[in-house]
Amino acid sequence: MNMESREVIMADKNEYNRVLDKFYEYLCGILKIYQNAVPILKDELDAIMKDEVERLDESLKSQQALLLQTKNFDRQVADYLDALGIKAKNLSDMAGQLPKEEGLRFFGLLGEFDLTMAEVNYYKDKCRMLLQSKLYTIDKVLSRQELPKDNTTYNRSAAEIHGTLFPKAFEKKI
């Protein structure tokens, strides 16, 4: 192998490692976003339990701001995989195609993702169930309340009739 082709291979390897490191950093950033969502979800759950609507609103806005940062996740991952020349259906497949040391680094990160997402999903489910329960309770209370019934009777000219239970328009002679 001549010196020139060795330099090309080393340049390609350095570029590959640079892209791989940027991809890892990107995934770490996404993980951090979801880790930051956990305390916000805990706050949401507490706000729901205490019926603090303003605090709940702030919590939801914070979650939305965090999750907007992940809106292009699929596209970003696809771009990184393309740059690395890897064809994979998911990140686990991708990590399995990397050299052993790099694969272990990515599998470790994916393990953290699993733990964090389990916690995020737990709190999201708790919030959803508690909200549904509260909405059900509100619905039950509203359905039990009797609405005032309109007992006003009107004649043919749409004038209100006072004093008689039924207007003459409904009388039938036998």
Side-chain angles (χ1 to χ4, degrees):
M1 186 180 287
N2 65 25
M3 186 67 141
E4 193 173 297
S5 33
R6 179 177 270 162
E7 288 174 5
V8 170
I9 291 171
M10 289 304 285
D12 286 345
K13 186 164 177 66
N14 287 338
E15 178 63 17
Y16 181 85
N17 287 335
R18 187 185 67 74
V19 171
L20 198 58
D21 288 341
K22 286 187 112 181
F23 186 33
Y24 186 82
E25 289 172 21
Y26 172 74
L27 292 176
C28 285
I30 296 294
L31 175 62
K32 187 71 174 159
I33 290 169
Y34 282 102
Q35 287 171 335
N36 290 339
V38 171
I40 294 170
L41 287 166
K42 287 179 180 179
D43 189 52
E44 177 185 351
L45 184 61
D46 189 56
I48 294 168
M49 288 190 299
K50 294 178 179 176
D51 295 328
E52 295 176 359
V53 176
E54 290 172 8
R55 198 168 125 212
L56 177 60
D57 184 49
E58 287 303 313
S59 175
L60 293 173
K61 287 177 185 175
S62 297
Q63 284 178 59
Q64 188 176 32
L66 281 176
L67 294 179
L68 276 174
Q69 297 172 32
T70 66
K71 73 177 182 175
N72 293 325
F73 178 77
D74 290 336
R75 183 73 192 136
Q76 289 283 345
V77 168
D79 289 346
Y80 279 113
L81 292 179
D82 189 43
L84 294 168
I86 296 175
K87 302 269 190 243
K89 294 178 185 176
N90 55 43
L91 294 175
S92 295
D93 287 346
M94 180 273 313
Q97 295 179 35
L98 295 174
K100 185 176 183 178
E101 191 173 302
E102 291 297 330
L104 291 175
R105 177 170 75 142
F106 276 86
F107 277 122
L109 182 62
L110 293 177
E112 288 182 56
F113 260 107
D114 284 344
L115 292 173
T116 301
M117 292 311 294
E119 194 171 10
V120 165
N121 290 330
Y122 171 80
Y123 285 108
K124 284 174 87 172
D125 286 344
K126 284 285 189 188
C127 290
R128 181 185 51 77
M129 289 183 338
L130 187 57
L131 274 173
Q132 285 178 336
S133 173
K134 289 198 177 254
L135 288 173
Y136 177 77
T137 303
I138 290 169
D139 189 46
K140 288 289 263 185
V141 168
L142 290 175
S143 68
R144 280 191 214 137
Q145 289 181 347
E146 284 191 35
L147 299 175
K149 293 182 180 165
D150 186 12
N151 289 331
T152 307
T153 307
Y154 299 91
N155 65 14
R156 288 185 185 175
S157 63
E160 194 173 319
I161 299 174
H162 298 281
T164 60
L165 188 56
F166 296 104
K168 291 185 179 185
F170 292 109
E171 286 182 9
K172 185 175 181 181
K173 303 222 179 195
I174 302 181

